[in-house]
Amino acid sequence: FMNEILYKFQKATGLNTIADETIRLAIESGEVMDQISKITGKNILFRTGVVRVAYNTEETAEMNELAEQLAEYNINCHKIDPVEMEELCGVKLSNMPPDASAWSIEGDGYMAPNAYDHLLEEFENNGGVIKKGHLEKILYDENSQRVKGLIYKDKDGEQLLHTDSVYCSLGYEANYDNMVTEANHIEPLIPGTGYSGFIAAEKEIKVPVDSNNTHFTPVAYLPLNGKTYTLIKVTCGGTIGYDGFNADHAKNSIYYATDLIFPDVPVHMLSARACSRPLNQTNNGKLTQVLPGLSVATGFGGKGVTDAAGFAAGNIASICGHAAASEFSRLMAQNDSKTL
């Protein structure tokens, strides 16, 4: 409620709004990923376009406003009819309320499921060394107030790593009480719990679909028994101020959302789990330099695609068997092919 009042005040007075900051962050992030794709020769970002569904008159009005905002950045966002929806996405919105609408956002897209592996590979190719473990402590000099290193725990026990630069994002359970200076406070955070899961649709779903804070992102296409199955990552923002719920809640939410978006397509639920993250008051990413050399990222969310490749292999095994899962993992590691 307070964010809505702040947004209306900023818009009325010509100030940058929360939406402006979010759009700029998304554009800049996309440009960075495009550059990385050129450098590595591997797709980090698939600019497939995205279909967004508004459930009612109020959400349609919000989409009209978003289209006007995106036009200021030369991004085409426009309403589409059911025929265009089927051509773009592969599904009909036959189960939607009469005042619902669908929109196409051109140039939008999603991160490759194996993007993180590509980045780590490029890091190593340029002389970087990857050490895996659980972060225990960040060390700093009380006199100079500069970072000196960190302690992490791996399979061999505690390890000390000397460094003068630490960038971290510590998750919704992190306690920042000992990471606050008078000049640079970590912003107030509360947990938010949604869900993350996989479904298999018995049809080729061509582009991601966003609907009322639920996101459907195609991860892989599986030719099987004369049909094309689409393995889809499903995520939702969920409940603010709550740090967990059981799988039944996630399953019911996925069933409800898929019935609206894919009413004429047989859909198989493969997995569902709670997914929590720290939220700030603007529900947007922020980077705080707590000390010289120590930066903490907070407030970031996503569509759960960066870990999708690993989960996908397990889910493919439940459809096609372990041989198919191994082949999928091999293809994802080799290149950007999404087809098995």
Side-chain angles (χ1 to χ4, degrees), residues 190-228:
I190 59 174
T193 298
Y195 59 76
S196 181
F198 278 96
I199 61 174
E202 292 186 18
K203 192 171 184 178
E204 182 180 350
I205 308 302
K206 302 174 183 177
V207 300
V209 180
D210 290 349
S211 66
N212 194 25
N213 208 28
T214 301
H215 314 289
F216 300 88
T217 306
V219 173
Y221 301 105
L222 313 170
L224 183 65
N225 299 330
K227 298 179 181 179
T228 296

Side-chain angles (χ1 to χ4, degrees), residues 38-271:
K38 290 180 180 179
I39 293 171
T40 61
K42 298 176 180 178
N43 285 331
I44 302 297
L45 178 66
F46 290 105
R47 290 190 178 274
T48 57
V50 169
V51 169
R52 182 170 294 186
V53 177
Y55 283 134
N56 50 45
T57 303
E58 182 180 340
E59 290 184 6
T60 295
E62 292 175 356
M63 284 304 303
N64 269 310
E65 187 173 341
L66 176 62
E68 293 176 0
Q69 290 175 314
L70 292 175
E72 298 175 6
Y73 298 90
N74 297 315
I75 297 173
N76 185 3
C77 173
H78 63 278
K79 188 185 292 188
I80 56 177
D81 60 32
V83 174
E84 291 175 294
M85 172 73 177
E86 189 170 12
E87 290 176 351
L88 280 173
C89 185
V91 296
K92 299 177 181 178
L93 293 179
S94 58
N95 205 23
M96 296 295 288
D99 54 349
S101 60
W103 300 72
S104 171
I105 304 178
E106 296 180 5
D108 201 352
Y110 64 99
M111 286 181 65
N114 49 355
Y116 190 65
D117 294 328
H118 289 336
L119 295 175
L120 291 181
E121 181 183 347
E122 189 67 19
F123 180 73
E124 289 183 306
N125 290 341
N126 285 275
V129 177
I130 297 171
K131 296 181 180 293
K132 298 181 179 180
H134 184 272
L135 178 63
E136 297 287 320
K137 296 178 181 178
I138 298 173
L139 309 176
Y140 71 98
D141 185 276
E142 292 185 353
N143 295 322
S144 66
Q145 290 289 293
R146 294 194 64 88
V147 170
K148 291 296 183 181
L150 55 84
I151 294 175
Y152 68 96
K153 184 178 290 185
D154 61 14
K155 58 183 178 59
D156 297 320
E158 283 194 348
Q159 308 292 335
L160 171 64
L161 178 66
H162 294 284
T163 179
D164 58 3
S165 179
V166 174
Y167 171 92
C168 55
S169 177
L170 301 178
Y172 79 100
E173 292 183 313
N175 185 338
Y176 294 102
D177 291 343
N178 295 325
M179 296 182 68
V180 174
T181 65
E182 291 185 6
N184 299 301
H185 291 274
I186 300 294
E187 61 184 351
L189 298 168
I190 59 174
T193 298
Y195 59 76
S196 181
F198 278 96
I199 61 174
E202 292 186 18
K203 192 171 184 178
E204 182 180 350
I205 308 302
K206 302 174 183 177
V207 300
V209 180
D210 290 349
S211 66
N212 194 25
N213 208 28
T214 301
H215 314 289
F216 300 88
T217 306
V219 173
Y221 301 105
L222 313 170
L224 183 65
N225 299 330
K227 298 179 181 179
T228 296
Y229 285 74
T230 303
L231 189 67
I232 301 173
K233 179 75 175 185
V234 188
T235 55
C236 179
T239 306
I240 296 175
Y242 191 54
D243 61 2
F245 52 59
N246 61 38
D248 287 338
H249 184 99
K251 288 189 288 188
N252 289 336
S253 298
I254 292 177
Y255 274 127
Y256 173 76
T258 53
D259 187 52
L260 287 173
I261 303 301
F262 310 113
D264 304 318
V265 179
V267 172
H268 308 270
M269 186 180 299
L270 304 175
S271 66

